[in-house]
PDB file of all heavy atoms in Angstrom:
ATOM      1  N   LYS A 193       3.527  31.014   5.901  1.00  0.00           N
ATOM      2  CA  LYS A 193       3.295  31.681   7.176  1.00  0.00           C
ATOM      3  C   LYS A 193       3.130  30.664   8.308  1.00  0.00           C
ATOM      4  O   LYS A 193       3.633  30.870   9.419  1.00  0.00           O
ATOM      5  CB  LYS A 193       2.063  32.574   7.080  1.00  0.00           C
ATOM      6  CG  LYS A 193       2.300  33.833   6.235  1.00  0.00           C
ATOM      7  CD  LYS A 193       1.162  34.825   6.367  1.00  0.00           C
ATOM      8  CE  LYS A 193       1.522  36.133   5.685  1.00  0.00           C
ATOM      9  NZ  LYS A 193       0.438  37.153   5.820  1.00  0.00           N
ATOM     10  N   ARG A 194       2.424  29.568   8.023  1.00  0.00           N
ATOM     11  CA  ARG A 194       2.227  28.563   9.070  1.00  0.00           C
ATOM     12  C   ARG A 194       3.537  27.872   9.427  1.00  0.00           C
ATOM     13  O   ARG A 194       3.822  27.619  10.615  1.00  0.00           O
ATOM     14  CB  ARG A 194       1.182  27.530   8.625  1.00  0.00           C
ATOM     15  CG  ARG A 194       0.805  26.527   9.716  1.00  0.00           C
ATOM     16  CD  ARG A 194       0.256  27.216  10.937  1.00  0.00           C
ATOM     17  NE  ARG A 194      -0.200  26.261  11.950  1.00  0.00           N
ATOM     18  CZ  ARG A 194      -0.214  26.520  13.245  1.00  0.00           C
ATOM     19  NH1 ARG A 194       0.190  27.704  13.703  1.00  0.00           N
ATOM     20  NH2 ARG A 194      -0.640  25.614  14.104  1.00  0.00           N
ATOM     21  N   LEU A 195       4.360  27.556   8.422  1.00  0.00           N
ATOM     22  CA  LEU A 195       5.656  26.937   8.711  1.00  0.00           C
ATOM     23  C   LEU A 195       6.514  27.862   9.557  1.00  0.00           C
ATOM     24  O   LEU A 195       7.181  27.425  10.496  1.00  0.00           O
ATOM     25  CB  LEU A 195       6.379  26.596   7.398  1.00  0.00           C
ATOM     26  CG  LEU A 195       5.899  25.354   6.652  1.00  0.00           C
ATOM     27  CD1 LEU A 195       6.671  25.204   5.350  1.00  0.00           C
ATOM     28  CD2 LEU A 195       6.056  24.106   7.510  1.00  0.00           C
ATOM     29  N   TRP A 196       6.498  29.146   9.234  1.00  0.00           N
ATOM     30  CA  TRP A 196       7.288  30.109  10.001  1.00  0.00           C
ATOM     31  C   TRP A 196       6.782  30.191  11.437  1.00  0.00           C
ATOM     32  O   TRP A 196       7.579  30.234  12.386  1.00  0.00           O
ATOM     33  CB  TRP A 196       7.239  31.476   9.339  1.00  0.00           C
ATOM     34  CG  TRP A 196       8.125  32.482  10.018  1.00  0.00           C
ATOM     35  CD1 TRP A 196       9.472  32.612   9.878  1.00  0.00           C
ATOM     36  CD2 TRP A 196       7.720  33.477  10.956  1.00  0.00           C
ATOM     37  NE1 TRP A 196       9.945  33.637  10.676  1.00  0.00           N
ATOM     38  CE2 TRP A 196       8.885  34.181  11.347  1.00  0.00           C
ATOM     39  CE3 TRP A 196       6.496  33.856  11.508  1.00  0.00           C
ATOM     40  CZ2 TRP A 196       8.852  35.233  12.249  1.00  0.00           C
ATOM     41  CZ3 TRP A 196       6.465  34.911  12.414  1.00  0.00           C
ATOM     42  CH2 TRP A 196       7.628  35.588  12.776  1.00  0.00           C
ATOM     43  N   GLU A 197       5.467  30.188  11.610  1.00  0.00           N
ATOM     44  CA  GLU A 197       4.889  30.248  12.956  1.00  0.00           C
ATOM     45  C   GLU A 197       5.307  29.047  13.801  1.00  0.00           C
ATOM     46  O   GLU A 197       5.536  29.167  15.003  1.00  0.00           O
ATOM     47  CB  GLU A 197       3.360  30.295  12.866  1.00  0.00           C
ATOM     48  CG  GLU A 197       2.819  31.606  12.321  1.00  0.00           C
ATOM     49  CD  GLU A 197       1.333  31.520  12.006  1.00  0.00           C
ATOM     50  OE1 GLU A 197       0.761  30.414  12.182  1.00  0.00           O
ATOM     51  OE2 GLU A 197       0.746  32.528  11.581  1.00  0.00           O
ATOM     52  N   LEU A 198       5.418  27.872  13.170  1.00  0.00           N
ATOM     53  CA  LEU A 198       5.723  26.648  13.900  1.00  0.00           C
ATOM     54  C   LEU A 198       7.219  26.432  14.112  1.00  0.00           C
ATOM     55  O   LEU A 198       7.617  25.567  14.903  1.00  0.00           O
ATOM     56  CB  LEU A 198       5.141  25.441  13.162  1.00  0.00           C
ATOM     57  CG  LEU A 198       3.611  25.362  13.114  1.00  0.00           C
ATOM     58  CD1 LEU A 198       3.169  24.227  12.187  1.00  0.00           C
ATOM     59  CD2 LEU A 198       3.028  25.159  14.501  1.00  0.00           C
ATOM     60  N   ALA A 199       8.059  27.165  13.395  1.00  0.00           N
ATOM     61  CA  ALA A 199       9.509  26.984  13.507  1.00  0.00           C
ATOM     62  C   ALA A 199       9.985  27.356  14.913  1.00  0.00           C
ATOM     63  O   ALA A 199       9.520  28.328  15.509  1.00  0.00           O
ATOM     64  CB  ALA A 199      10.228  27.839  12.470  1.00  0.00           C
ATOM     65  N   ARG A 200      10.912  26.589  15.428  1.00  0.00           N
ATOM     66  CA  ARG A 200      11.438  26.823  16.775  1.00  0.00           C
ATOM     67  C   ARG A 200      12.395  28.013  16.805  1.00  0.00           C
ATOM     68  O   ARG A 200      12.424  28.775  17.764  1.00  0.00           O
ATOM     69  CB  ARG A 200      12.155  25.565  17.287  1.00  0.00           C
ATOM     70  CG  ARG A 200      11.217  24.403  17.553  1.00  0.00           C
ATOM     71  CD  ARG A 200      11.989  23.104  17.776  1.00  0.00           C
ATOM     72  NE  ARG A 200      12.989  23.221  18.835  1.00  0.00           N
ATOM     73  CZ  ARG A 200      13.858  22.269  19.124  1.00  0.00           C
ATOM     74  NH1 ARG A 200      13.865  21.140  18.434  1.00  0.00           N
ATOM     75  NH2 ARG A 200      14.724  22.423  20.100  1.00  0.00           N
ATOM     76  N   GLU A 201      13.232  28.145  15.784  1.00  0.00           N
ATOM     77  CA  GLU A 201      14.212  29.224  15.731  1.00  0.00           C
ATOM     78  C   GLU A 201      13.941  30.067  14.494  1.00  0.00           C
ATOM     79  O   GLU A 201      14.445  29.799  13.409  1.00  0.00           O
ATOM     80  CB  GLU A 201      15.634  28.667  15.722  1.00  0.00           C
ATOM     81  CG  GLU A 201      15.975  27.896  16.987  1.00  0.00           C
ATOM     82  CD  GLU A 201      17.460  27.657  17.119  1.00  0.00           C
ATOM     83  OE1 GLU A 201      18.248  28.381  16.471  1.00  0.00           O
ATOM     84  OE2 GLU A 201      17.843  26.741  17.866  1.00  0.00           O
ATOM     85  N   LYS A 202      13.111  31.068  14.656  1.00  0.00           N
ATOM     86  CA  LYS A 202      12.644  31.877  13.528  1.00  0.00           C
ATOM     87  C   LYS A 202      13.660  32.958  13.160  1.00  0.00           C
ATOM     88  O   LYS A 202      14.245  33.601  14.032  1.00  0.00           O
ATOM     89  CB  LYS A 202      11.324  32.557  13.875  1.00  0.00           C
ATOM     90  CG  LYS A 202      10.193  31.624  14.261  1.00  0.00           C
ATOM     91  CD  LYS A 202       8.981  32.446  14.691  1.00  0.00           C
ATOM     92  CE  LYS A 202       7.812  31.567  15.066  1.00  0.00           C
ATOM     93  NZ  LYS A 202       8.107  30.744  16.269  1.00  0.00           N
ATOM     94  N   TYR A 203      13.846  33.149  11.858  1.00  0.00           N
ATOM     95  CA  TYR A 203      14.525  34.334  11.359  1.00  0.00           C
ATOM     96  C   TYR A 203      13.471  35.153  10.622  1.00  0.00           C
ATOM     97  O   TYR A 203      12.511  34.596  10.093  1.00  0.00           O
ATOM     98  CB  TYR A 203      15.680  33.967  10.423  1.00  0.00           C
ATOM     99  CG  TYR A 203      16.467  35.175   9.971  1.00  0.00           C
ATOM    100  CD1 TYR A 203      17.497  35.684  10.749  1.00  0.00           C
ATOM    101  CD2 TYR A 203      16.167  35.825   8.775  1.00  0.00           C
ATOM    102  CE1 TYR A 203      18.210  36.800  10.364  1.00  0.00           C
ATOM    103  CE2 TYR A 203      16.871  36.948   8.381  1.00  0.00           C
ATOM    104  CZ  TYR A 203      17.892  37.433   9.168  1.00  0.00           C
ATOM    105  OH  TYR A 203      18.578  38.543   8.791  1.00  0.00           O
ATOM    106  N   ASP A 204      13.634  36.476  10.593  1.00  0.00           N
ATOM    107  CA  ASP A 204      12.641  37.345   9.958  1.00  0.00           C
ATOM    108  C   ASP A 204      12.280  36.822   8.575  1.00  0.00           C
ATOM    109  O   ASP A 204      13.151  36.701   7.703  1.00  0.00           O
ATOM    110  CB  ASP A 204      13.183  38.769   9.826  1.00  0.00           C
ATOM    111  CG  ASP A 204      13.364  39.439  11.179  1.00  0.00           C
ATOM    112  OD1 ASP A 204      12.590  39.117  12.099  1.00  0.00           O
ATOM    113  OD2 ASP A 204      14.273  40.274  11.313  1.00  0.00           O
ATOM    114  N   PRO A 205      10.999  36.516   8.322  1.00  0.00           N
ATOM    115  CA  PRO A 205      10.594  35.973   7.018  1.00  0.00           C
ATOM    116  C   PRO A 205      10.536  37.054   5.963  1.00  0.00           C
ATOM    117  O   PRO A 205      10.597  38.250   6.265  1.00  0.00           O
ATOM    118  CB  PRO A 205       9.187  35.426   7.310  1.00  0.00           C
ATOM    119  CG  PRO A 205       8.656  36.372   8.349  1.00  0.00           C
ATOM    120  CD  PRO A 205       9.839  36.715   9.225  1.00  0.00           C
ATOM    121  N   LEU A 206      10.416  36.645   4.718  1.00  0.00           N
ATOM    122  CA  LEU A 206      10.225  37.581   3.608  1.00  0.00           C
ATOM    123  C   LEU A 206       8.993  37.164   2.830  1.00  0.00           C
ATOM    124  O   LEU A 206       8.961  36.089   2.222  1.00  0.00           O
ATOM    125  CB  LEU A 206      11.447  37.598   2.673  1.00  0.00           C
ATOM    126  CG  LEU A 206      11.299  38.454   1.417  1.00  0.00           C
ATOM    127  CD1 LEU A 206      11.090  39.923   1.787  1.00  0.00           C
ATOM    128  CD2 LEU A 206      12.515  38.299   0.502  1.00  0.00           C
ATOM    129  N   TRP A 207       7.950  37.990   2.895  1.00  0.00           N
ATOM    130  CA  TRP A 207       6.756  37.770   2.084  1.00  0.00           C
ATOM    131  C   TRP A 207       6.862  38.702   0.887  1.00  0.00           C
ATOM    132  O   TRP A 207       6.662  39.897   1.003  1.00  0.00           O
ATOM    133  CB  TRP A 207       5.487  38.049   2.898  1.00  0.00           C
ATOM    134  CG  TRP A 207       5.488  37.442   4.275  1.00  0.00           C
ATOM    135  CD1 TRP A 207       5.267  38.083   5.449  1.00  0.00           C
ATOM    136  CD2 TRP A 207       5.724  36.063   4.620  1.00  0.00           C
ATOM    137  NE1 TRP A 207       5.348  37.213   6.507  1.00  0.00           N
ATOM    138  CE2 TRP A 207       5.620  35.965   6.035  1.00  0.00           C
ATOM    139  CE3 TRP A 207       6.001  34.914   3.886  1.00  0.00           C
ATOM    140  CZ2 TRP A 207       5.796  34.755   6.714  1.00  0.00           C
ATOM    141  CZ3 TRP A 207       6.182  33.713   4.568  1.00  0.00           C
ATOM    142  CH2 TRP A 207       6.079  33.636   5.953  1.00  0.00           C
ATOM    143  N   VAL A 208       7.233  38.140  -0.269  1.00  0.00           N
ATOM    144  CA  VAL A 208       7.532  38.935  -1.457  1.00  0.00           C
ATOM    145  C   VAL A 208       6.230  39.450  -2.066  1.00  0.00           C
ATOM    146  O   VAL A 208       5.448  38.673  -2.623  1.00  0.00           O
ATOM    147  CB  VAL A 208       8.318  38.112  -2.494  1.00  0.00           C
ATOM    148  CG1 VAL A 208       8.651  38.973  -3.701  1.00  0.00           C
ATOM    149  CG2 VAL A 208       9.587  37.549  -1.865  1.00  0.00           C
ATOM    150  N   LYS A 209       5.997  40.753  -1.987  1.00  0.00           N
ATOM    151  CA  LYS A 209       4.765  41.346  -2.497  1.00  0.00           C
ATOM    152  C   LYS A 209       4.692  41.200  -4.008  1.00  0.00           C
ATOM    153  O   LYS A 209       5.584  41.652  -4.736  1.00  0.00           O
ATOM    154  CB  LYS A 209       4.699  42.824  -2.115  1.00  0.00           C
ATOM    155  CG  LYS A 209       3.362  43.475  -2.455  1.00  0.00           C
ATOM    156  CD  LYS A 209       3.298  44.911  -1.954  1.00  0.00           C
ATOM    157  CE  LYS A 209       1.950  45.538  -2.275  1.00  0.00           C
ATOM    158  NZ  LYS A 209       1.864  46.937  -1.767  1.00  0.00           N
ATOM    159  N   GLY A 210       3.648  40.513  -4.483  1.00  0.00           N
ATOM    160  CA  GLY A 210       3.478  40.286  -5.912  1.00  0.00           C
ATOM    161  C   GLY A 210       4.225  39.076  -6.427  1.00  0.00           C
ATOM    162  O   GLY A 210       4.085  38.719  -7.600  1.00  0.00           O
ATOM    163  N   GLY A 211       4.992  38.403  -5.565  1.00  0.00           N
ATOM    164  CA  GLY A 211       5.766  37.242  -5.990  1.00  0.00           C
ATOM    165  C   GLY A 211       4.896  36.032  -6.236  1.00  0.00           C
ATOM    166  O   GLY A 211       3.935  35.785  -5.512  1.00  0.00           O
ATOM    167  N   GLY A 212       5.218  35.265  -7.289  1.00  0.00           N
ATOM    168  CA  GLY A 212       4.480  34.061  -7.615  1.00  0.00           C
ATOM    169  C   GLY A 212       5.188  32.822  -7.125  1.00  0.00           C
ATOM    170  O   GLY A 212       5.986  32.873  -6.176  1.00  0.00           O
ATOM    171  N   HIS A 213       4.947  31.707  -7.805  1.00  0.00           N
ATOM    172  CA  HIS A 213       5.516  30.434  -7.361  1.00  0.00           C
ATOM    173  C   HIS A 213       6.914  30.198  -7.915  1.00  0.00           C
ATOM    174  O   HIS A 213       7.720  29.523  -7.282  1.00  0.00           O
ATOM    175  CB  HIS A 213       4.592  29.292  -7.789  1.00  0.00           C
ATOM    176  CG  HIS A 213       4.994  27.957  -7.243  1.00  0.00           C
ATOM    177  ND1 HIS A 213       4.961  27.671  -5.891  1.00  0.00           N
ATOM    178  CD2 HIS A 213       5.455  26.827  -7.852  1.00  0.00           C
ATOM    179  CE1 HIS A 213       5.373  26.433  -5.694  1.00  0.00           C
ATOM    180  NE2 HIS A 213       5.690  25.893  -6.852  1.00  0.00           N
ATOM    181  N   CYS A 214       7.217  30.734  -9.074  1.00  0.00           N
ATOM    182  CA  CYS A 214       8.489  30.400  -9.745  1.00  0.00           C
ATOM    183  C   CYS A 214       9.302  31.629 -10.135  1.00  0.00           C
ATOM    184  O   CYS A 214      10.198  31.524 -10.978  1.00  0.00           O
ATOM    185  CB  CYS A 214       8.212  29.562 -11.001  1.00  0.00           C
ATOM    186  SG  CYS A 214       7.390  27.995 -10.690  1.00  0.00           S
TER     187      CYS A 214
END
Side-chain angles (χ1 to χ4, degrees):
K193 288 191 172 181
R194 186 59 176 152
L195 283 177
W196 185 79
E197 290 169 358
L198 293 172
R200 292 168 55 186
E201 297 194 20
K202 302 175 179 65
Y203 184 85
D204 293 329
L206 175 62
W207 314 127
V208 182
K209 187 175 181 179
H213 187 66
C214 299

